[in-house]
Amino acid sequence: MNSPRRPLISIPFRQVPLRLVLVVPFVLQLTTVVGITGWLSLRNGQQAVNSLVQQLRTKAINEISHYLEDKLATPQQINRLNLKAIELKMLDLQNFDQIGRFFVEQMQIFDVGYINFANPQGEFIGVERLEDEILLINETQKSSLSDMCVYSTDEQGNRTKLEEIVPDQPPVYEEDWYDDAVKAKKPLWSAIYQWHDKPEVLSISASYPVFDQNQQLAGVIGVDLILSDIDRFLQQEVKISPSAKTFILERNGLLVASSSPLPAFKVVEGQATRLPAAESEDSLIQATTLHLIQQFGDLRNIQDNQTLDFKHQGNRELISVVPWQDELGLDWLIVVAVPEADFMGQVHANTYATILLCLLALAVAILVGLMTARWLTQLIRQLAEASRKIAEGSLSQPIRVYGIDELEQLSQSFNEMAAQIQSSFAELENRVAERTAELAQAKDAAEIANQAKSEFLAQVSHELRTPLNAIIGFAQMMETDPALSSEHQNRMTIVHRNGNHLLSLINNLLKVSRLQTSEYQTHDLDQALAQRSTTFETAAPFVNAIFHYCLVQMEPEWIEQLHQAAVKGSDDDILRLIHKIPPDCAPLAGILKNWVDNFHFDHIIHFIQYNKQ
């Protein structure tokens, strides 16, 4: 047996208001669109930020790389020019005055921090650039190698004044820029070092050893590059974002330069010591370096360009690391760290603005949806109310719905349907009225014919029963008459029996006529007497006593009239006489009524004769 099909919509959701059906899907769609729009806006913004940050990091690294190439190429260029001048005898290494003027002219042309020369005897001459672009000549002579004389100069490089004498200078051949070149016997970069007289100044020197014609060391020329120049470039020229940091690392983790204004050294017991980047006071530089060390184990393992990101103080930091080398052995790492929040702030603001606009649009759409749903609901309710009235039978009120073509067509269909129903009802009522009239006429004719037939049968049966009752009565009397012979008594018995049989046939015919003519109904007293008649039949032993008791209370004239009516078989006369019986003789009325209904007139005659005797 197939199971009944389940409805597509479960029972709890059948009684759903139309307004809810119209608004909820619309709101869900808009909410989904707003959510997806916000998510896509944030995601696309983040992707755009990542792309922009990558471009900015690449641009910054390229700028730094080009700057380092240009900046570090200048010392090499100056050294080559000076070596050429020495080879051409244009520069006499024994004439420190000439060397001083020559270096001043070079300092005016090239943007470097220091140009110097030292010979194996410990003599030293160098030209220093101060922050206000003033050029000073620093010189130590073999007469006093521990004292350095500082001279101011004019534009031609001539010494104009001895500014000061700095005592306790260490031997020049102990300084890295000199010693490294002598040991290598080739041009190189020295290790980054602090100046003895200015420990806050970090510099790196491009050192060239100078040999004479006999390949004997004549001295070392060098050009110092002040790392604060790179700091200024990173701080002022490389612009990425407000919180971004760019810095340069040696492979040992020491800072070369950075865009942070915080110092790259610390003072321990009066001595300036370079800081590892992992110990920098700048939290971003410190965290970035620690992440690189954690990621690669050692900074020397970074051989290719790297793009990383990590979390720092709850913010995502985007990192780019590029190795940078030159032909003289420098091996540094250029690091750019950009907080995503510097760019995502605007993205988040735009996203919030987008979400607010979407929410505003959602609110407007919901309001419009509610108004539209309310309008549609009212129109549909009008149609529903009209259909209900049509179902109740009110077909004369037209339905008027305007504004929506489909609902207008539906209302027009309702009106046409109501008109057709009204027309059908009118036609049906006319047909029913006509048919009812025909049936009424036929019924009246049938009733008239039946009434006539019943009256005829009743009259005929009455006319037949009246003489027949008389015959039966006389036969009954003569049947018991002792004056007659037994043969005549037997014949009278036959007459009596045949008369009773004929009387029963006539009585049955009379009963049928009474049922059809509704003459069988009597008043309330007759009904009460009829209800008691059964009781009198069942109480046969007491019938004679009751009949006699009641009969003696009646007038002799009434008793004679009852006897004559029973002899005649006139039930109408007997019924009139029954109505004259007083209420206290109701049993007599019930007995007589029962005998009349059953046409037992002989019982009435018998009991009257019995009471007379």
Side-chain angles (χ1 to χ4, degrees):
M1 182 177 180
N2 296 330
S3 59
R5 294 182 60 187
R6 297 182 62 185
L8 295 178
I9 302 177
S10 59
I11 293 177
F13 293 96
R14 287 182 178 175
Q15 302 297 328
V16 179
L18 178 61
R19 184 177 302 178
L20 194 63
V21 172
L22 293 175
V23 173
V24 169
F26 187 59
V27 171
L28 289 178
Q29 292 176 8
L30 285 178
T31 305
T32 303
V33 170
V34 169
I36 293 176
T37 301
W39 179 78
L40 289 177
S41 175
L42 181 61
R43 180 172 176 271
N44 293 335
Q46 192 166 16
Q47 291 178 347
V49 165
N50 292 339
S51 176
L52 176 62
V53 169
Q54 181 60 36
Q55 294 175 12
L56 292 175
R57 286 182 296 179
T58 302
K59 178 183 177 183
I61 288 175
N62 290 335
E63 289 178 353
I64 295 172
S65 298
H66 294 156
Y67 175 79
L68 291 178
E69 290 172 359
D70 296 340
K71 191 73 174 177
L72 296 176
T74 300
Q76 308 298 335
Q77 183 180 2
I78 294 173
N79 283 335
R80 286 193 292 268
L81 289 174
N82 291 338
L83 283 176
K84 197 66 176 177
I86 293 172
E87 291 176 2
L88 296 175
K89 306 297 183 178
M90 295 174 59
L91 187 61
D92 184 2
L93 296 180
Q94 302 301 322
N95 188 350
F96 276 26
D97 289 337
Q98 181 192 17
I99 294 174
R101 288 192 299 271
F102 190 79
F103 285 172
V104 168
E105 290 179 0
Q106 287 182 327
M107 290 288 288
Q108 292 173 349
I109 297 172
F110 298 101
D111 184 18
V112 292
Y114 209 98
I115 302 176
N116 51 36
F117 169 75
N119 57 30
Q121 291 77 29
E123 293 178 316
F124 171 83
I125 184 171
V127 177
E128 173 189 1
R129 187 194 304 276
L130 300 179
E131 293 182 357
D132 54 2
E133 297 297 324
I134 295 175
L135 300 177
L136 299 177
I137 295 176
N138 300 323
E139 182 182 76
T140 59
Q141 296 288 336
K142 60 182 177 179
S143 59
S144 180
L145 294 177
S146 62
D147 295 328
M148 184 174 70
C149 298
V150 180
Y151 298 94
S152 58
T153 63
D154 58 15
E155 292 182 358
Q156 287 74 33
N158 297 315
R159 304 177 191 192
T160 58
K161 181 182 178 182
L162 178 61
E163 296 292 338
E164 63 175 329
I165 297 175
V166 181
D168 301 326
Q169 293 297 305
V172 68
Y173 50 77
E174 293 181 359
E175 294 185 5
D176 292 338
W177 71 274
Y178 184 92
D179 186 56
D180 292 344
V182 171
K183 290 178 181 179
K185 297 181 180 181
K186 64 178 181 179
L188 52 72
W189 288 101
S190 69
I192 297 174
Y193 63 95
Q194 286 103 356
W195 290 2
H196 291 289
D197 56 340
K198 296 180 179 179
E200 73 277 4
V201 177
L202 297 177
S203 66
I204 184 171
S205 178
S207 301
Y208 270 61
V210 181
F211 299 93
D212 59 13
Q213 295 177 351
N214 299 322
Q215 295 301 312
Q216 297 295 319
L217 182 66
V220 176
I221 59 174
V223 179
D224 284 2
L225 184 64
I226 309 301
L227 297 184
S228 59
D229 293 342
I230 303 178
D231 289 337
R232 281 192 293 271
F233 173 78
L234 296 179
Q235 294 170 8
Q236 299 175 6
E237 301 299 330
V238 181
K239 301 295 184 182
I240 301 177
S241 69
S243 303
K245 291 294 185 295
T246 55
F247 55 99
I248 303 172
L249 292 175
E250 291 186 292
R251 292 290 181 164
N252 57 11
L254 295 177
L255 274 172
V256 175
S258 73
S259 60
S260 174
L262 299 174
F265 64 91
K266 60 181 177 179
V267 179
V268 180
E269 296 180 357
Q271 298 294 325
T273 305
R274 292 177 64 196
L275 276 175
E279 299 178 9
S280 173
E281 295 181 9
D282 189 291
S283 62
L284 181 55
I285 293 177
Q286 180 188 89
T288 302
T289 306
L290 290 174
H291 179 73
L292 292 176
I293 295 173
Q294 180 183 6
Q295 187 78 15
F296 297 98
D298 193 315
L299 297 179
R300 295 179 181 85
N301 296 329
I302 302 176
Q303 300 299 326
D304 300 317
N305 296 351
Q306 302 291 334
T307 301
L308 308 170
D309 64 86
F310 72 101
K311 289 287 186 179
H312 172 55
Q313 296 179 351
N315 295 320
R316 185 167 174 254
E317 309 292 340
L318 307 174
I319 308 171
S320 289
V321 183
V322 176
W324 187 89
Q325 297 92 15
D326 76 343
E327 58 185 7
L328 296 182
L330 285 181
D331 189 7
W332 292 345
L333 294 174
I334 302 174
V335 183
V336 177
V338 182
E340 187 183 49
D342 286 355
F343 297 90
M344 289 303 295
Q346 185 61 39
V347 172
H348 287 310
N350 293 337
T351 302
Y352 293 151
T354 302
I355 293 175
L356 288 177
L357 290 176
C358 290
L359 291 176
L360 179 61
L362 176 63
V364 173
I366 291 174
L367 181 61
V368 173
L370 290 173
M371 295 175 63
T372 304
R374 181 180 179 184
W375 179 45
L376 290 175
T377 303
Q378 289 178 346
L379 296 179
I380 295 176
R381 283 180 177 175
Q382 291 180 7
L383 291 176
E385 181 66 19
S387 64
R388 185 184 63 80
K389 290 183 178 180
I390 290 176
E392 292 176 353
S394 179
L395 304 175
S396 60
Q397 295 184 358
I399 304 173
R400 295 182 177 88
V401 176
Y402 303 102
I404 298 178
D405 183 57
E406 289 77 6
L407 293 181
E408 289 184 6
Q409 293 179 3
L410 183 60
S411 64
Q412 183 64 28
S413 300
F414 269 110
N415 292 332
E416 293 176 357
M417 179 183 68
Q420 291 177 358
I421 293 174
Q422 191 172 8
S423 175
S424 300
F425 279 174
E427 183 179 358
L428 182 61
E429 288 177 355
N430 292 334
R431 291 182 180 180
V432 169
E434 294 176 357
R435 185 60 178 168
T436 302
E438 293 176 357
L439 292 175
Q441 292 177 358
K443 179 177 176 295
D444 293 341
E447 288 180 352
I448 292 173
N450 188 49
Q451 180 70 22
K453 180 196 70 173
S454 299
E455 290 179 356
F456 172 76
L457 290 176
Q459 186 67 28
V460 168
S461 62
H462 182 74
E463 294 297 332
L464 291 176
R465 192 177 54 182
T466 299
L468 185 58
N469 283 331
I471 294 171
I472 292 172
F474 284 110
Q476 186 178 3
M477 292 175 60
M478 294 178 68
E479 184 181 3
T480 57
D481 189 358
L484 294 178
S485 63
S486 58
E487 182 180 358
H488 288 89
Q489 289 180 352
N490 290 334
R491 290 179 179 177
M492 294 306 296
T493 300
I494 294 172
V495 172
H496 183 219
R497 183 172 62 250
N498 292 335
N500 284 332
H501 177 68
L502 181 60
L503 181 62
S504 64
L505 294 177
I506 295 172
N507 288 337
N508 291 336
L509 182 62
L510 187 58
K511 286 181 180 180
V512 172
S513 67
R514 286 181 177 178
L515 289 174
Q516 291 178 347
T517 55
S518 300
E519 292 179 357
Y520 201 74
Q521 298 178 354
T522 60
H523 53 77
D524 294 339
L525 179 60
D526 294 340
Q527 292 178 355
L529 295 175
Q531 291 175 358
R532 297 182 184 182
S533 64
T534 349
T535 305
F536 296 132
E537 284 187 348
T538 55
F542 303 99
V543 170
N544 291 336
I546 294 172
F547 190 85
H548 175 73
Y549 174 77
C550 294
L551 190 63
V552 296
Q553 298 184 30
M554 302 302 295
E555 298 291 335
E557 183 180 356
W558 182 86
I559 296 173
E560 184 62 26
Q561 291 177 357
L562 178 63
H563 183 265
Q564 293 298 326
V567 171
K568 293 179 181 179
S570 176
D571 51 349
D572 292 336
D573 294 340
I574 296 175
L575 290 175
R576 277 197 305 273
L577 292 172
I578 289 174
H579 286 299
K580 295 180 180 180
I581 297 175
D584 55 348
C585 291
L588 176 62
I591 294 171
L592 294 177
K593 182 69 168 55
N594 185 29
W595 287 344
V596 171
D597 289 340
N598 293 296
F599 301 104
H600 292 160
F601 301 105
D602 54 338
H603 292 179
I604 299 174
I605 297 171
H606 174 73
F607 273 98
I608 292 174
Q609 292 177 353
Y610 177 79
N611 280 281
K612 284 182 178 180
Q613 295 175 0

